[in-house]
Amino acid sequence: MEAEFMAECCVIVAAPSGSGGRRVVVDDRVLGMAYSLHDLTVFLHHAGLVAGDELDVAETELIEWHGGGPEVWPCLGGGPDCWVAPGGPASR
């Protein structure tokens, strides 16, 4: 099932920041910082822009991803699977 977007708009998910979050912008309006695909899905639901689950959101072509796609969500706790934003704290 493809995500059903309620309105044609430009959704931009920014590159990961040093804090690990990704800024979510819709038509020049900042919705917030998403720290996971779940966060992004919740933002889009609350804004009335999408009806669907995380997989639908990840697969839609209506989102412009910067600094990596829907699989790039840095974690703050470190570990082998964590990604560090350029200029962010170095992993140990």
Side-chain angles (χ1 to χ4, degrees), residues 3-76:
E4 180 182 328
F5 277 78
M6 303 302 178
E8 285 293 323
C9 61
C10 182
V11 179
I12 297 173
V13 178
S17 69
S19 71
R22 298 180 75 170
R23 183 179 308 270
V24 180
V25 179
V26 176
D27 292 334
D28 297 324
R29 188 178 100 216
V30 177
L31 295 185
M33 277 297 231
Y35 291 88
S36 67
L37 187 56
H38 174 76
D39 289 350
L40 174 61
T41 303
V42 170
F43 285 154
L44 297 178
H45 278 276
H46 283 266
L49 298 174
V50 65
D53 61 16
E54 294 172 21
L55 182 59
D56 293 326
V57 171
E59 292 179 346
T60 185
E61 294 180 9
L62 297 175
I63 296 176
E64 184 177 315
W65 298 92
H66 294 206
E71 70 286 348
V72 177
W73 299 97
C75 57
L76 299 176

